[in-house]
Amino acid sequence: MNNNKVEQTTEALNPARRKLMMAGATTFGAAAVATFGAAQQADAAPAKSTTPQARQGAKAMQTITTKDGTEIFYKDWGSGRPVVFSHGWPLNSDAWDAQMLFLAQRGFRVIAHDRRGHGRSGQPAQGNDMNTYADDLAAVIEALDLKGATLVGHSTGGGEVARYIGRHGTKRVAKAVLIGAVPPTMAKSAAYPNGLPLEVFDGIRKGVADNRSQFYQELAVPFFGFNRPGAKVAQGTIDAFWAQGMTGGILGQYACIKEFSEVDYTEDLKKIDVPTLILHGEDDQIVPIGNSAQLSAKIVPNAKLKVYPGASHGMCVVNADQVNADLLAFLQG
């Protein structure tokens, strides 16, 4: 293992989290990446792209078109050093509202896209796999000619960031941030025998297929830790989670479940050769910290792990002030 700098802001992690996860199998699963059919190995390069005029307010909608003809919606605000965000499952780029507003107001250029099959991007039957997701991210970065970017990924988006670096390197990347991220892998395997059994993810598939609207409403509760004693439930936050989920297409979202659960990002993590900040909630009921951040921090060279005591998977919303402060400090460091 590498000699990583690990900062834990809590004395001990709750060993009962695994039992909570197993008991709530059908509420697990807020990260995204997917293999629905054969994985698309070809590089996704933009066939056409709009110019980044949103910073001047010239366009309300911006998209690039990938090699396979899929339109990818993105936001591009501000100027200065670029920070690129990759969202979790089943959400879209609106999940980064708190971080994008905060950093844009402090002189950074912030970019976020909706993953294919999610949000305002196209909903193709093909390409719903992590390799293609990473190539779509590369298409956005290359179309905007971003250099020295900080890549920030939450949940499945953390897998997307890792796979992007694994496939495309860090020539355009200065730093990386993984927040509540799924790497190195979620599902139990020979390499990770303490992972979660596939039955957990089968429960997610069933929830999406049977009634994804109801499933997303219910999933939002543990996602944000609203099922914990003393939690202040914000109905608007639940509604926003549901609305973001329902803007995407069921086929792509269903396919994505396999990618955030069964893909092994270990080799991708080893290729991250830029300073990396890993943030994770100690009480993350969706992506248990023992299966993810604690392992990733040992694999990624030059990684720093910071654990938020009692925080949920939805820490970018519930703990936005702290996340924003940590991001700013890392960007300025």
Side-chain angles (χ1 to χ4, degrees), residues 44-49 64-69 139:
K48 65 177 181 178
S49 66
I64 62 101
T65 302
T66 65
K67 187 176 180 180
D68 70 356

Side-chain angles (χ1 to χ4, degrees), residues 310-323:
S312 68
H313 192 58
M315 57 194 289
C316 293
V317 175
V318 177
N319 306 95
D321 289 347
Q322 186 176 357
V323 170

Side-chain angles (χ1 to χ4, degrees), residues 218-257:
E218 295 174 357
L219 175 61
V221 176
F223 187 102
F224 296 105
F226 292 155
N227 58 336
R228 293 311 196 204
K232 183 179 180 180
V233 178
Q235 187 60 46
T237 299
I238 295 174
D239 293 344
F241 181 97
W242 173 87
Q244 289 180 48
M246 294 305 294
T247 61
I250 189 170
L251 187 149
Q253 291 177 346
Y254 186 94
C256 192
I257 296 167

